[in-house]
Amino acid sequence: MASSTDHTSEHQHLGTTTADKLFIAFLVLVVAAVTLLGVVNYKEAIKVETSKSNGEAWVAWLTETGATRFEADTQHPACKGGVKPAADAKAGTPGTWGACLTHILETTELKDQINPFFNVAPHFVAACDPKDRTLMGAILLEDLMPTPPGSATPFVASQLVETDAIDYKMQLRLSVCDKGGYAIKVAEFEF
């Protein structure tokens, strides 16, 4: 008994349809968008890290200078400790933060720093504020005044302004404003 079976195989159409082409195009666009987003975020992260490096350079300089500023032969007389400013001290008066800041910005390597968000010198601000986009990369320098023993908070922070006296051993906190305008604490240190 010979049976003749018909072995016919239907060939399915294996070509790409319009829906397949659209799906592949969509996948290519998604990969391109994710890659572009990654590159943009990486560049923004580098700017934040550069701002933090700027802050770390300030901390290093102020810490190093703070260790010798009460000595008679300090290398930075505008930042000398123990010099009481006059009662009606202006910003550039010896013994004030303004005189020290001017000295730093004129004579040290810190004068060459660049805020990577705006390609200008970093500026000091009173506070980082997410609503103010002009504060990205700015520096916040605060004087930490000790509170009485037993207080709930060990320090009260206030912005270090140009007329503030620097005649005592100071506890400072330096922060930088990130891309979102939030403060990134760099360090607390003595000056």
Side-chain angles (χ1 to χ4, degrees), residues 21-162:
K21 290 178 184 176
L22 287 174
F23 181 71
I24 291 171
F26 174 73
L27 287 179
V28 168
L29 285 174
V30 167
V31 168
V34 167
T35 302
L36 179 64
L37 186 60
V39 168
V40 168
N41 283 337
Y42 176 77
K43 288 179 181 178
E44 293 299 315
I46 292 296
K47 291 177 182 179
V48 171
E49 288 302 315
T50 302
S51 295
K52 284 173 56 178
S53 294
N54 286 347
E56 290 166 354
W58 275 90
V59 169
W61 192 91
L62 290 169
T63 301
E64 181 181 321
T65 302
T68 61
R69 73 186 190 102
F70 287 92
E71 296 174 3
D73 60 342
T74 183
Q75 295 180 4
H76 306 286
C79 299
K80 184 167 178 53
V83 176
K84 285 250 186 229
D88 59 343
K90 304 270 189 276
T93 305
T96 63
W97 171 242
C100 184
L101 181 61
T102 300
H103 169 75
I104 293 168
L105 294 176
E106 290 176 355
T107 63
T108 69
E109 67 277 0
L110 298 175
K111 70 180 178 208
D112 299 325
Q113 286 186 340
I114 298 295
N115 179 337
F117 291 101
F118 303 110
N119 292 324
V120 296
H123 63 285
F124 289 87
V125 295
C128 294
D129 183 6
K131 296 174 190 152
D132 189 352
R133 304 300 287 172
T134 64
L135 300 180
M136 295 184 299
I139 297 172
L140 171 60
L141 187 60
E142 297 171 297
D143 186 8
L144 302 176
M145 297 298 290
T147 58
S151 296
T153 56
F155 296 103
V156 173
S158 63
Q159 179 192 14
L160 189 61
V161 294
E162 293 185 358

Side-chain angles (χ1 to χ4, degrees), residues 12-23:
Q12 291 185 351
H13 180 62
L14 298 176
T16 56
T17 65
T18 304
D20 292 339
K21 290 178 184 176
L22 287 174
F23 181 71

